[in-house]
Amino acid sequence: MAPKRKSLKRKLEHDLVALGSDRAKSPQPLQNSPPPSSRDFSAVILSHVDLLNSPSSTYVTDRAALFRSLHALSDLAQNEEMVDDMVKCGVVPAVVKHLEVPIDDDCVCGPYGYEVEKKCAIILGLLANKPEHQHLIVDAGALPYIVDLLKRHKTSSIISPGLVGLLRRLADAITNLAHENTTIKNLVRMEGGIPPLVELLEFNDRNVQKAAAGALRTLAFKNDENKNQIVECKALPTLVLMLRSEDPTVHYEAVGVIGNLVHSSPNIKKEVIQAGALQPVIGLLSSSCLESQREAALLLGQFASTDTDCKVHIAQRGAIQPLVGMLKSSDSQLKEMSAFALGRLAQDSHNQAGIAYHGGIEPLIDLLSSKNAFIQHNAAFALYGLVDNEDIIADVIKAGGFHNLQDGSFKAQPTRECVAKTLTRFEEKIQGQVLKHLSYLMRFAEKGVQRRVALALAHLCPIDDCRTIFIDNNGLELLLELLGSTNLKQTGVASLALHKLATRAISVPLGDVAPSSPTPQEFLGKHCVNNPKLSDVTFLVEGKRFYAHRVCLVKSDIFRAMFDGGYREREAKDIEIPNIKWDVFELMMRYIYTGTADVSLDIAQDLLKAADQYLLEGLKRLCENTISQDITAENVALMYQMSDTFNATSLKHACIMFVLDQFDKLSSKPWYGYLVCSIVPDIRKFFSTLLGKSSSADS
């Protein structure tokens, strides 16, 4: 995580600086004056720059004048709108000049000891807040003098308040100069700036410690050479001690440095743990400082990526409970970091039960609906780990985890891949004791849990166990209750579950669910269709003659009864067929003679009616299959009515599957609720037949 950049910008408290004739005076705000123009400010800035560049501007001549001029410039630099003008007016080289002058003891002991250099450091740090000015300051030669002054506490015989303030401002200046600037980070190291910063971690002033840690934090971010040198300079023991500080601002900077040191550096991570950082970092999870909590959670996630033993140690030392508590925080970054840490911990089998025990399942499931893609991913990864534990799967399903994973809207592709793997892991685990546990819950838990379990098992239950779960153990009725709910959300999830269950159970084409003819069929062939040769019966259809053969027509129970029973058609030579069009009758006869028919959509409905009338089940299924291809959201209700009218089982099943599959399109229709309620009995019959068929087929 990128280091947080300190803000040193403040509102300008005065508008103009009044200049004396001989020296710069302290800045005074103008009252009852019109707003100054940019030209006025530039004139003031140039006046100060001229004073700083004058030959008489030395430590021994008039240090007070220098201080007042630098003080005025530092005030101006706090207004970001003035920064560019200051740079254009040559403030940078003029200020750097006063960092390079050696300081003697007389100056140090005077009333302005180190104050001039401190003001220089403040100005440069403020100007460096704008990235475009960072290299300008470095190119002006500031770094060697900043580093030299950082070492002053070792050579100075007096640690004055001025020196303390200077050291703090120098460290702040390095923080701003090196912020997100790889080149300057390297230059600081090459100029020897890291060792004195590490030494200042032990300085007897908390503000200096914090500033030094802030600089090291910036220098260590995504810079392996700097990381290694910081560790080589023995910074870790002091940083670990700072983690235990009662001052939140101190341990925040310390945990930030350590976090940047261990990022993508496995060896340093091990050294940090060996230095004793683990327990104090866990302690920071309970800090009153929100920033320290975030950094600690992130750091524990990084530690947990090291090895299995480290994951176990983190859990054993009490990290899981506070991390789970953070999942419920109102702070999105804290939720993200805690989910990150728990996700890494959950990949170890020893920790999974602990996360569940401390109540981590439900908040992790809730985070799946977050609008923050990083929170989503970390929560999904944590649940992926938890689902590896068979003792936890039922708890995840009880809390609605399966549904949230299946139906969630996940923004990032890696998250979608993680969720897919988790759903696959669910399916692999639903067997044996896990399935028995879920089956028990579906029968005896409270109603909401029963329904969630039934919904999950519709997607996950092994096909061999579907009849036991959904017919014998009442799972189907739970789903049908949801399907008939007035709550559209419940209806939607039930539709999806039932459609998935049916799809998994159908091992043969849906049209073959209807029983086939019990007796073998023999056919005369297409050359006999409407052929007068050897014809012994003629049908009159729409005034046209159709020549047929009684021996072939007995395949239809209606025709057989017509010729064998006491009907008048028994001896008739010509039989009139009313209410059937010629092309429909001709295609029906072609099916009788050949056992096949090319049923087009434009004739399928009329042919279905004729096939039902003459009890030709095979032809009915051909018609039903053709009609099923034309089911739409607009006509499904009519299609279902047609299937009822003509006892078209395959068409009815196709309508049921369409209704279950197309919830999103159908739910907005005004007749949807009535349709669903009216077909529930047929859905029950459909699944009873289907699951019974799949069960017997598998056995």
Side-chain angles (χ1 to χ4, degrees):
M1 176 174 287
K4 181 180 178 183
R5 188 167 189 173
K6 297 182 179 180
S7 176
L8 301 177
K9 303 172 184 176
R10 299 182 182 88
K11 184 179 179 182
L12 185 64
E13 296 178 353
H14 51 78
D15 299 311
L16 270 179
V17 179
L19 293 175
S21 57
D22 297 324
R23 62 175 63 178
K25 297 180 180 179
S26 298
Q28 298 291 332
L30 290 180
Q31 307 211 354
N32 301 320
S33 302
S37 66
S38 176
R39 183 175 301 176
D40 294 331
F41 277 121
S42 296
V44 172
I45 295 168
L46 288 171
S47 298
H48 287 303
V49 170
D50 289 343
L51 188 147
L52 295 177
N53 287 331
S54 65
S56 62
S57 175
T58 66
Y59 290 92
V60 295
T61 55
D62 197 342
R63 197 159 169 80
L66 275 175
F67 171 77
R68 284 195 296 270
S69 189
L70 289 166
H71 178 77
L73 288 173
S74 67
D75 278 350
L76 289 170
Q78 291 176 64
N79 186 336
E80 63 181 12
E81 295 180 0
M82 299 300 303
V83 168
D84 291 337
D85 287 338
M86 293 177 69
V87 170
K88 291 177 183 177
C89 291
V91 168
V92 171
V95 169
V96 169
K97 170 184 175 182
H98 292 282
L99 285 175
E100 64 181 295
V101 179
I103 303 174
D104 56 33
D105 287 339
D106 291 336
C107 293
V108 170
C109 296
Y112 295 99
Y114 290 114
E115 292 298 328
V116 168
E117 291 72 27
K118 183 172 76 173
K119 289 296 181 183
C120 290
I122 291 173
I123 293 168
L124 294 177
L126 290 169
L127 296 181
N129 267 318
K130 282 199 169 184
E132 59 266 32
H133 299 153
Q134 292 169 342
H135 279 288
L136 179 65
I137 295 169
V138 171
D139 292 343
L143 270 185
Y145 307 115
I146 291 175
V147 171
D148 183 62
L149 288 170
L150 280 173
K151 302 173 184 176
R152 192 59 60 121
H153 73 285
K154 297 179 66 176
T155 59
S156 178
S157 58
I158 302 173
I159 304 298
S160 64
L163 178 57
V164 173
L166 171 63
L167 294 173
R168 175 189 172 190
R169 298 304 185 179
L170 290 169
D172 286 342
I174 288 180
T175 298
N176 285 359
L177 279 170
H179 180 70
E180 295 185 355
N181 193 314
T182 302
T183 301
I184 295 179
K185 289 178 187 179
N186 292 330
L187 288 174
V188 172
R189 181 185 73 253
M190 290 186 285
E191 288 291 345
I194 289 178
L197 287 170
V198 172
E199 292 169 3
L200 290 176
L201 293 176
E202 300 186 52
F203 195 79
N204 291 328
D205 182 272
R206 286 185 177 179
N207 289 328
V208 173
Q209 289 179 354
K210 290 186 290 185
L216 290 172
R217 182 179 187 175
T218 297
L219 294 172
F221 184 64
K222 294 184 178 180
N223 192 301
D224 291 339
E225 292 83 358
N226 286 358
K227 290 180 188 180
N228 292 331
Q229 190 172 93
I230 292 169
V231 173
E232 290 166 2
C233 289
K234 312 291 186 192
L236 292 183
T238 306
L239 289 169
V240 170
L241 289 174
M242 292 172 69
L243 291 175
R244 298 181 182 274
S245 172
E246 295 181 359
D247 185 339
T249 59
V250 172
H251 58 60
Y252 165 65
E253 292 293 358
V255 74
V257 179
I258 293 174
N260 285 348
L261 286 173
V262 304
H263 180 69
S264 300
S265 301
N267 293 332
I268 295 178
K269 196 180 300 181
K270 292 178 182 178
E271 291 190 53
V272 168
I273 294 172
Q274 291 169 359
L278 190 55
Q279 196 61 54
V281 170
I282 292 173
L284 290 181
L285 295 176
S286 303
S287 168
S288 60
C289 175
L290 189 64
E291 290 81 3
S292 291
Q293 286 183 306
R294 293 173 186 158
E295 293 287 349
L298 174 61
L299 190 51
L300 287 175
Q302 293 171 324
F303 286 161
S305 302
T306 304
D307 52 47
T308 299
D309 288 342
C310 189
K311 292 182 177 70
V312 174
H313 292 157
I314 291 171
Q316 289 175 337
R317 297 186 185 204
I320 289 179
Q321 188 170 4
L323 285 170
V324 169
M326 292 175 183
L327 294 175
K328 305 170 187 176
S329 169
S330 59
D331 182 81
S332 62
Q333 286 185 305
L334 192 58
K335 287 190 285 193
E336 178 187 338
M337 296 302 107
S338 57
F340 170 77
L342 288 169
R344 271 64 194 165
L345 293 173
Q347 306 312 308
D348 181 79
S349 58
H350 296 87
N351 297 334
Q352 293 155 359
I355 294 172
Y357 175 78
H358 287 292
I361 293 175
E362 290 191 10
L364 285 170
I365 292 171
D366 290 341
L367 292 182
L368 292 175
S369 59
S370 170
K371 295 181 180 179
N372 183 311
F374 296 106
I375 291 177
Q376 273 191 339
H377 182 78
N378 290 339
F381 187 62
L383 289 168
Y384 170 74
L386 294 181
V387 171
D388 191 45
N389 190 317
E390 293 183 354
D391 295 330
I392 296 176
I393 289 177
D395 292 327
V396 176
I397 290 176
K398 280 171 59 178
F402 177 80
H403 172 70
N404 285 40
L405 285 164
Q406 184 187 53
D407 292 345
S409 176
F410 302 107
K411 300 181 179 182
Q413 181 61 28
T415 307
R416 291 193 287 272
E417 292 173 359
C418 179
V419 168
K421 291 179 181 178
T422 306
L423 294 174
T424 299
R425 182 169 279 184
F426 265 112
E427 195 166 355
E428 293 169 349
K429 299 288 184 179
I430 303 297
Q431 55 185 316
Q433 275 306 117
V434 176
L435 185 59
K436 288 180 180 179
H437 186 186
L438 291 169
S439 178
Y440 178 86
L441 289 174
M442 198 177 69
R443 287 178 289 158
F444 300 111
E446 59 96 7
K447 197 72 166 185
V449 172
Q450 289 181 352
R451 289 172 171 176
R452 284 192 286 272
V453 172
L455 287 168
L457 288 179
H459 296 268
L460 302 171
C461 180
I463 197 65
D464 292 352
D465 298 295
C466 280
R467 181 170 184 83
T468 300
I469 295 294
F470 292 98
I471 305 301
D472 301 340
N473 289 344
N474 214 38
L476 178 61
E477 293 306 315
L478 290 168
L479 297 179
L480 292 177
E481 286 177 14
L482 287 174
L483 186 67
S485 169
T486 56
N487 184 319
L488 281 180
K489 185 175 181 181
Q490 291 183 343
T491 305
V493 296
S495 294
L496 176 64
L498 287 166
H499 185 267
K500 179 67 174 180
L501 177 61
T503 302
R504 294 172 61 240
I506 294 171
S507 56
V508 291
L510 190 61
D512 290 342
V513 174
S516 58
S517 174
T519 57
Q521 300 292 305
E522 295 181 2
F523 305 99
L524 292 181
K526 61 182 180 180
H527 61 281
C528 294
V529 177
N530 199 17
N531 188 339
K533 187 176 182 180
L534 300 179
S535 172
D536 53 4
V537 63
T538 303
F539 294 104
L540 297 176
V541 182
E542 293 187 330
K544 299 180 184 178
R545 292 184 181 277
F546 190 98
Y547 300 97
H549 308 78
R550 293 173 187 260
V551 67
C552 189
L553 297 178
V554 295
K555 294 182 178 66
S556 163
D557 291 342
I558 296 298
F559 282 126
R560 184 168 57 250
M562 189 183 296
F563 299 136
D564 295 344
Y567 295 96
R568 59 183 176 81
E569 290 89 352
R570 178 177 182 180
E571 303 298 334
K573 181 68 174 175
D574 295 332
I575 302 173
E576 186 174 356
I577 303 295
N579 303 321
I580 297 182
K581 296 178 181 178
W582 170 266
D583 55 348
V584 173
F585 185 81
E586 193 271 341
L587 192 56
M588 181 179 73
M589 299 301 288
R590 185 173 296 278
Y591 172 80
I592 292 174
Y593 276 77
T594 64
T596 63
D598 185 10
V599 182
S600 62
L601 188 58
D602 58 351
I603 202 174
Q605 293 188 24
D606 289 336
L607 188 58
L608 173 64
K609 179 180 178 181
D612 181 62
Q613 180 180 342
Y614 288 93
L615 303 181
L616 297 169
E617 291 299 324
L619 181 59
K620 279 179 63 175
R621 288 199 297 275
L622 289 176
C623 296
E624 291 173 60
N625 288 338
T626 298
I627 296 170
S628 297
Q629 308 306 312
D630 192 44
I631 298 175
T632 66
E634 285 67 35
N635 68 17
V636 64
L638 293 175
M639 293 291 192
Y640 189 84
Q641 186 178 8
M642 182 190 304
S643 73
D644 224 19
T645 301
F646 299 119
N647 193 28
T649 304
S650 295
L651 178 58
K652 180 173 291 186
H653 291 172
C655 289
I656 288 172
M657 289 294 284
F658 185 89
V659 169
L660 296 177
D661 186 42
Q662 299 295 323
F663 169 80
D664 290 340
K665 291 182 179 179
L666 295 174
S667 58
S668 60
K669 305 292 183 184
W671 42 260
Y672 173 75
Y674 174 79
L675 174 65
V676 169
C677 289
S678 66
I679 69 174
V680 163
D682 284 330
I683 295 177
R684 181 182 290 110
K685 186 185 300 183
F686 167 61
F687 276 97
S688 296
T689 302
L690 185 61
L691 296 180
K693 179 179 176 65
S694 63
S695 177
S696 61
D698 291 327
S699 63

